Amino acid sequence: VSARVVLFRSPLFRRLLGAVAALSLLPLAATAIGAALLLRGVARDATAAELRSDALLAREAALPLFRAGDAAALDGLAKRLGREIRARLTFLDVDGRVLGDSDHDPATMENHAGRPEVADARERGEGTARRFSDTLQEELIFVAVRAEPAEASRGIVRAALPTRTLAARLQAVYAGVALLAAAFGLAALLSAAISLGIFASAVHDLTEAAESAGGGGDGAPVVRRTTAEEREDEVGALARAVRAMADRLFRQIEEIARARNELTTVVESLGEGLVAVDGGGRILFVNGAAERLLELAAPPRAGAPLADALPNGEVIGLAREVLETGRAAEARLVIVRAQGGARSIEARAAPLGRRPERAEGAVVLLRDVTEVERYEELRRDFVANVSHELRTPVALIKGFLETLEDGALRDPVDGPRFLEILRRHVLGLDRLVADLLTLSTLEAGADTRPREPVALADAVGAVLGPFETVLAEKRLRLTRRLPDGLPPVLAHRDLVERAIRNLVDNAVKFTPEGGAIEVEAAARGAAVALTVRDSGPGISAEERARVFERFYRVEKSRSREAGGTGLGLAIVKHIAQQEGGAVEVASEIGRGSAFTLTLPRA
Ligand SMILES: Nc1ncnc2c1ncn2[C@@H]1O[C@H](COP(=O)(O)OP(=O)(O)OP(=O)(O)O)[C@@H](O)[C@H]1O
Ligand SMILES: [Mg+2]
């Protein structure tokens, strides 16, 4: 039912059916009307011919009475014959006076001389007319002949029939023709409706199938099969062709979508930021990394003009340059971050498309080089620091060597003294080089030796031994708090000892005479924490953040006097990291400092 409703709502169906109806029914109606008109003419002619033969036969019977001039007999004949031939008969004399009439009394009838059929019969022997009869008050067909063919003066015989009789007969014929025409018309319409319906519903089905088409995946048809396709005619062929075409089209669209998705995934997973624009400088694509690097508040809409979509004038300029010149370009940008700090970005832009004179688009790749730059700076600083640290002792050594060569060597007092100074500087140099080596090995992470359980009490004991003389000289009180049940740590024993030695060395070095130093250790969860505490000058908060940097010294002169180069804590930090632990500092100016080294438990 719904299919039929759909069919009648279909404009295609309605229009085609209308055209077919007009084409088939109009000629049919015209033919029927033409046939009816033709029939009426034929029927009138036939009636006239019938009436003529009636008149001629009546003349045969009436001629003797005309000759005899017997009007009463003529009237009797008219009445008798008229009944038998079922037509009106009238006998007239040459002047038009009625002698006899089948339907009326001649005495009451007017003169008929002026009637056209009567006049025609008198003049030419015969006359026919169709007109309204005043006597009978209806339309009749009249045929009149001379009573004697060769002689006009004898009188006139006239036969007549009302057209009503003819019309009644014709009515039946008309009805038959109309019925036949209607039947043919209906049949034509019905068959047209059926074939048009098949066509229209096939088109409708196909449209619906195409509209509901979706991803079929793995070669399955994506457009639903319709019954129209099973037809063997052109409609079936069209349906099959359309579905095959739609299938191909949908597959291609799917393929394109998949390829696009893959590309998007690849581009999104890039660590580098990517901005693609078309030849008109409109955004094609901006990946997540670019959004983050350029700190865009919202992902830019595809198709948005470059200048609206990106806040960064340098990126816009770079893309424009590439679009105009068609050549690749590079730039370094600094992006001030919303949460403070700045980011260095290396931007490389390249043209899209093959025409060299004008690019069809441009791709800008953005790489965060903040870290790289920081490392470069660190390396430069490091080289500068190392050179600086080496220059002073080397210059001193050179100077003392020259003095010794100039004769001081043979001086009994200055000779040994200068040699002693030389020895101290060489030792300092040696220590510096050794520290640098240690740092670089730690940084390279090249230590592949296995870790072993190390008892911290043993390590602390080994470290503290050599400090006894200095402690005594500076009258520093040393307290050890290492509980008996302290669990061992898993580490490299030499590195652990090195870290402890550096911490104790600092405590001893920076704590003024008569101060106190504490070395204590305690288990802390899965780790063991070792703290070296002193009653020294303490370190300010801002310096606490930097003391672990290489070559950093709070008070350059004081530390250098003490023979330090600022590498000790950097080494401690690297050791802690290498061993899977950490080092931290707590301090209060004037009260002392506490360095805590945590190492994983064995
Ligand atoms: N216990 C401490 N009390 C006060 N300041 C300290 C303490 N430990 C370290 N510092 C400060 O931190 C700086 C860095 O220490 P670090 O051990 O790295 O270098 P250094 O001791 O000067 O030289 P090096 O250890 O190479 O001989 C020191 O110069 C010092 O100013
Ligand atoms: Mg030190």
Side-chain angles (χ1 to χ4, degrees):
V1 174
S2 76
R4 238 166 288 152
V5 170
V6 163
L7 210 59
F8 282 103
R9 275 207 209 112
S10 150
L12 174 71
F13 177 75
R14 282 201 312 227
R15 212 166 303 148
L16 283 176
L17 196 63
V20 167
L23 274 175
S24 61
L25 296 187
L26 283 182
L28 202 67
T31 311
I33 290 168
L37 287 175
L38 218 67
L39 266 172
R40 197 173 62 173
V42 168
R44 271 184 194 151
D45 288 352
T47 310
E50 218 175 280
L51 284 172
R52 186 169 169 272
S53 50
D54 286 350
L56 289 176
L57 284 174
R59 175 172 77 179
E60 285 311 308
L63 192 56
L65 301 178
F66 268 107
R67 281 188 185 141
D70 189 345
L74 277 173
D75 191 41
L77 181 68
K79 293 205 158 51
R80 208 169 53 249
L81 274 178
R83 238 189 334 271
E84 264 163 34
I85 62 174
R86 281 200 201 104
R88 186 179 164 202
L89 264 183
T90 314
F91 298 129
L92 307 158
D93 74 2
V94 73
D95 301 322
R97 211 155 39 82
V98 177
L99 301 175
D101 190 276
S102 56
D103 297 14
H104 291 272
D105 178 6
T108 62
M109 292 170 71
E110 61 180 89
N111 189 296
H112 277 41
R115 303 292 197 272
E117 75 276 6
V118 174
D120 279 357
R122 201 169 43 221
E123 274 155 38
R124 284 184 269 115
E126 224 175 283
T128 308
R130 181 163 52 86
R131 63 183 165 74
F132 197 80
S133 153
D134 292 333
T135 320
L136 295 179
Q137 292 293 312
E138 67 175 315
E139 200 191 48
L140 288 112
I141 297 175
F142 299 94
V143 176
V145 293
R146 285 177 183 163
E148 188 139 18
E151 201 181 325
S153 60
R154 192 67 76 194
I156 303 291
V157 175
R158 191 183 69 170
L161 258 175
T163 48
R164 178 169 39 87
T165 331
L166 181 65
R169 252 185 267 160
L170 276 175
Q171 216 78 63
V173 176
Y174 288 161
V177 168
L179 207 71
L180 220 63
F184 276 120
L186 212 67
L189 253 163
L190 212 68
S191 76
I194 288 171
S195 38
L196 286 177
I198 288 166
F199 177 66
S201 74
V203 170
H204 179 263
D205 278 4
L206 216 60
T207 314
E208 234 179 26
E211 275 170 357
S212 68
D218 48 272
V222 287
V223 178
R224 181 165 48 79
R225 217 170 241 290
T226 61
T227 44
E229 282 175 55
E230 285 151 27
R231 301 178 60 83
E232 302 245 296
D233 55 9
E234 285 90 338
V235 172
L238 177 68
R240 287 190 294 275
V242 167
R243 191 170 66 85
M245 191 183 69
D247 274 0
R248 266 199 309 280
L249 211 65
F250 279 115
R251 288 239 174 71
Q252 267 163 14
I253 291 171
E254 254 174 54
E255 199 55 49
I256 291 168
R258 195 175 313 131
R260 203 193 141 88
N261 276 349
E262 276 167 17
L263 193 68
T264 310
T265 314
V266 169
V267 170
E268 276 302 341
S269 63
L270 273 182
E272 298 201 351
L274 185 143
V275 176
V277 294
D278 66 12
R282 283 165 200 291
I283 294 287
L284 286 176
F285 191 83
V286 174
N287 74 352
E291 270 173 51
R292 281 192 300 281
L293 287 180
L294 298 175
E295 308 218 310
L296 305 184
R301 197 164 40 80
L306 194 57
D308 297 351
L310 300 185
N312 193 287
E314 282 154 301
V315 179
I316 296 168
L318 198 66
R320 290 226 173 107
E321 186 190 328
V322 169
L323 287 181
E324 271 157 33
T325 62
R327 274 195 301 277
E330 279 188 26
R332 272 281 168 108
L333 342 165
V334 175
I335 301 230
V336 179
R337 307 186 60 180
Q339 72 260 47
R343 207 177 233 159
S344 289
I345 288 174
E346 186 186 80
R348 279 175 293 135
L352 281 176
R354 252 169 259 113
R355 282 187 303 148
E357 64 281 1
R358 198 179 157 83
E360 287 159 34
V363 178
V364 184
L365 278 178
L366 304 167
R367 197 159 68 93
D368 191 346
V369 290
T370 317
E371 284 293 290
V372 176
E373 279 188 349
R374 210 169 63 85
Y375 275 120
E376 268 170 21
E377 199 183 298
L378 274 179
R379 198 185 50 80
R380 267 199 309 275
D381 284 0
F382 182 68
V383 172
N385 277 329
V386 170
S387 319
H388 182 77
E389 293 297 334
L390 287 175
R391 213 175 52 201
T392 320
V394 168
L396 281 170
I397 290 167
K398 207 173 123 212
F400 279 111
L401 275 177
E402 278 165 6
T403 319
L404 284 172
E405 270 172 4
D406 287 350
L409 188 59
R410 282 178 298 275
D411 189 301
V413 183
D414 281 347
R417 194 162 67 86
F418 287 173
L419 274 178
E420 176 53 31
I421 295 172
L422 260 179
R423 204 177 80 92
R424 230 176 52 227
H425 283 303
V426 170
L427 276 181
L429 262 184
D430 183 48
R431 213 169 64 98
L432 174 67
V433 173
D435 281 356
L436 284 172
L437 259 175
T438 310
L439 260 180
S440 73
T441 3
L442 285 170
E443 267 185 349
D447 200 338
T448 53
R449 295 172 299 153
R451 295 201 177 88
E452 53 186 3
V454 179
L456 282 181
D458 291 353
V460 170
V463 168
L464 287 180
F467 281 100
E468 257 161 35
T469 355
V470 200
L471 287 169
E473 271 173 26
K474 284 187 85 172
R475 292 185 292 110
L476 294 170
R477 238 176 320 112
L478 175 76
T479 324
R480 293 186 220 199
R481 264 199 286 274
L482 299 158
D484 281 344
L486 195 67
V489 294
L490 192 65
H492 298 102
R493 187 183 170 115
D494 56 340
L495 294 184
V496 173
E497 282 183 10
R498 179 66 192 267
I500 299 171
R501 188 181 312 123
N502 284 6
L503 293 179
V504 172
D505 180 58
N506 285 349
V508 170
K509 203 157 60 179
F510 298 111
T511 308
E513 278 190 29
I517 295 174
E518 267 174 41
V519 179
E520 66 170 36
R524 203 191 269 178
V528 179
L530 179 122
T531 305
V532 179
R533 192 175 290 116
D534 63 51
S535 61
I539 309 167
S540 71
E542 137 199 8
E543 276 150 351
R544 281 202 290 275
R546 302 200 58 190
V547 287
F548 294 101
E549 284 176 19
R550 288 181 290 200
F551 297 112
Y552 187 81
R553 289 172 297 220
V554 174
E555 237 179 279
K556 308 273 172 200
S557 55
R558 187 177 52 163
S559 171
R560 186 159 308 141
E561 255 166 47
T565 49
L567 290 176
L569 286 178
I571 290 174
V572 174
K573 190 179 147 197
H574 272 101
I575 290 175
Q577 275 171 0
Q578 163 106 352
E579 300 291 7
V583 61
E584 60 199 17
V585 57
S587 179
E588 212 176 307
I589 292 288
R591 299 287 300 271
S593 316
F595 285 86
T596 303
L597 173 71
T598 42
L599 293 166
R601 274 167 75 153

